Amino acid sequence: MSSPSLIDAAWVLLCSVLIMFMQAGFCCLESGLVRAKNSINVAIKNLCDFCLCTLVFWLLGYAIMFGDTWRGLIGINGFFYNETAPPTSVAFFLFQVVFCGTATTIISGAVAERMRFCGYLMVALLTSAVIYPVFGHWAWAGIEQGQTHGWLNRMGFIDFAGSTVVHSTGGWIALAAAIVIGPRLGRFGDSRNRIRGHNLPVATLGLFLLWIGWFGFNGGSTLRIEGRLPLIFLNTCLAGAIGGITSLSFSWATHRVIRVESAINGVIAGLVGITASCHIMTPTMSLAVGAIAAIICQLATALLARMKIDDVIAAVPAHACAGAWGTLAVALLGNPATWESGLTRWDQLGIQALGVATCFAWSFSVGYVGLRLINAVSPLRVSAEHERQGLNLAEHAASTESIDLLSDMERQRVAGDFSTPVYVEPHTEVGQIAQQYNRVLDRVVKDTEKLIVANQEISDMNEKVLESRDQAVAAQQQIEQKVQQLQEFNRAATGRELRMVELKDEVNRIATESGLPPRYDLSFQDPGTQPQPPTDQPKPKDPPPDDVT
């Protein structure tokens, strides 16, 4: 093999490694945009889907996609790809493996936080074994040899690095999966609070890793080192940059706030949009492609929310919709002289639109039917309890500091015992929260003890008050009895006095009738003096005057 061929193979291998970095980018992006209780689940999905895709693509996917064609529809040989192939072919195989992994990983973010791990692996198997290789054959079969074997490719369909073949395919399958499993709990409820990612800095780091990998994605699609590489790299960088700025402006214009997620998805949409035409666009046109792709991404995100379709990381707007636009932009904004097909702009636009529509029809319909069948046999969605608990713990028995803290707090709530402090993870933010929570608990426990003592004192005082009240009631009853006795005594004394008066009146009456003077003076007498009976001696007469005439 000549040195140029080996250099080209080395270039393709280097770009494959760069694209492999995109898996790390997707892992950071998706893990950062979900809640902490699901971050481990998302990360392990990104790992396992790439492992599965690599094996499946080696087993049969590569043969279906790039084997000798049967009527331009499907490859029929090359299964179990072996080491006897020349180095350039091996490099091309590895390059296509990472492409397949990228298409599959797109699905993971859209269905995050509520899809069973085993169910997701089934979706990854369906994608890498059937959906992606078949459409890839239609559009790219024969490109390693510079030939056109697939029926779309023969018509002149252009998708240089996979705006439709890779990104739209993965995006339309993600749309089907999101519809089948439904939205997350509380995503479209009455609450206006959005479900936010737990670590936007990590998500932003993931974007940068994706951006770096995209240079390998687009640059490696030349399959050799050639003079177009600087322009490809420039167009890729410009489209991503203008996508981010456009999304920031759109977010500010519509919400009066700069949303980090909007900026991230705008950059991705710009990169996806330019992927189909980065080899033929001028830098100015690449800016237009990236800006329009970002606007389409934002509008599609709002449309999905209105339709109550829950796409966690906006995979459908950023990959499927932006990819469709980027494929159409080849004809709308590209230079016909660079197409090498001899077609007019409108003829090329018709073929591009046919490719976009075919990708949607094939990927969405097969994905939707396949997911429905899988869901009928083995439910794809986790239970509501597991969803609330978080898939880190429910699916993988993996926990985090925050989950441990919440679990300790929940146990305290259920038991009603707050005397035992929660565990403090040292040198972490969650540990600081736990430490402060323990301080609050300690204060609450002490105040509760004081309150218990105060309540006991109040209870003792209440008992004494009740005892004093009982004594007062008993004394009052005794007083009432004495008063009643005194009243009876007074009534009896009054009756005797009245009887005495009657007897005195009777005696005086009898004395009067007998011509005797009354024996008792009936005028008021002091009760302390006894009445004196009248004397029988006559009143002495006045003495006679001294001078009698």
Side-chain angles (χ1 to χ4, degrees), residues 103-104 106-107 127 131-133 135-136 162-175 319-320 359-360 362-364:
T104 305
I106 293 171
I107 306 169
T127 300
I131 301 176
Y132 173 75
F135 185 79
S163 286
T164 289
V165 176
V166 177
H167 295 280
S168 286
T169 298
W172 296 134
I173 300 171
L175 176 62
H319 294 273
C359 179
F360 171 77
W362 168 255
S363 302
F364 180 81

Side-chain angles (χ1 to χ4, degrees), residues 408-462:
D408 289 345
M409 295 168 68
E410 179 64 14
R411 282 194 293 269
Q412 287 182 337
R413 185 192 69 82
V414 173
D417 181 11
F418 300 94
S419 59
T420 303
V422 298
Y423 175 72
V424 176
E425 184 72 25
H427 312 300
T428 63
E429 292 183 357
V430 175
Q432 293 176 353
I433 295 173
Q435 188 175 24
Q436 187 63 26
Y437 175 75
N438 286 337
R439 291 172 182 165
V440 173
L441 279 185
D442 184 62
R443 177 63 182 272
V444 170
V445 170
K446 290 180 178 178
D447 289 348
T448 302
E449 291 175 351
K450 292 179 181 179
L451 184 60
I452 292 173
V453 172
N455 286 335
Q456 184 62 41
E457 292 177 352
I458 293 173
S459 178
D460 294 340
M461 292 177 63
N462 285 336

Side-chain angles (χ1 to χ4, degrees), residues 151-310:
W151 67 270
L152 268 176
N153 201 356
R154 290 173 182 172
M155 295 179 68
F157 178 72
I158 299 174
D159 186 3
F160 178 69
S163 286
T164 289
V165 176
V166 177
H167 295 280
S168 286
T169 298
W172 296 134
I173 300 171
L175 176 62
I179 293 174
V180 170
I181 67 175
R184 290 166 291 174
L185 296 176
R187 174 63 177 87
F188 298 111
D190 295 333
S191 175
R192 296 183 180 181
N193 295 327
R194 295 189 303 133
I195 299 178
R196 301 180 183 275
H198 82 287
N199 199 329
L200 295 181
V202 170
T204 306
L205 172 63
L207 170 65
F208 279 111
L209 293 175
L210 287 172
W211 205 336
I212 293 171
W214 230 287
F215 292 113
F217 206 91
N218 291 348
S221 294
T222 61
L223 302 181
R224 63 185 62 87
I225 295 179
E226 58 178 59
R228 292 183 299 177
L229 285 176
L231 178 63
I232 291 173
F233 275 49
L234 176 60
N235 288 339
T236 300
C237 190
L238 289 176
I242 194 65
I245 295 299
T246 302
S247 290
L248 285 177
S249 303
F250 189 91
S251 175
W252 178 258
T254 54
H255 304 291
R256 290 299 171 185
V257 65
I258 297 176
R259 292 181 174 174
V260 179
E261 301 94 327
S262 297
I264 290 175
N265 288 324
V267 173
I268 293 175
L271 293 170
V272 170
I274 199 60
T275 297
S277 58
C278 58
H279 64 307
I280 60 174
M281 287 293 177
T282 65
T284 303
M285 288 296 100
S286 68
L287 291 174
V289 172
I292 296 174
I295 294 174
I296 290 175
C297 176
Q298 299 302 316
L299 294 176
T301 300
L303 178 62
L304 289 180
R306 184 179 294 272
M307 297 173 65
K308 298 187 183 304
I309 298 175
D310 186 13

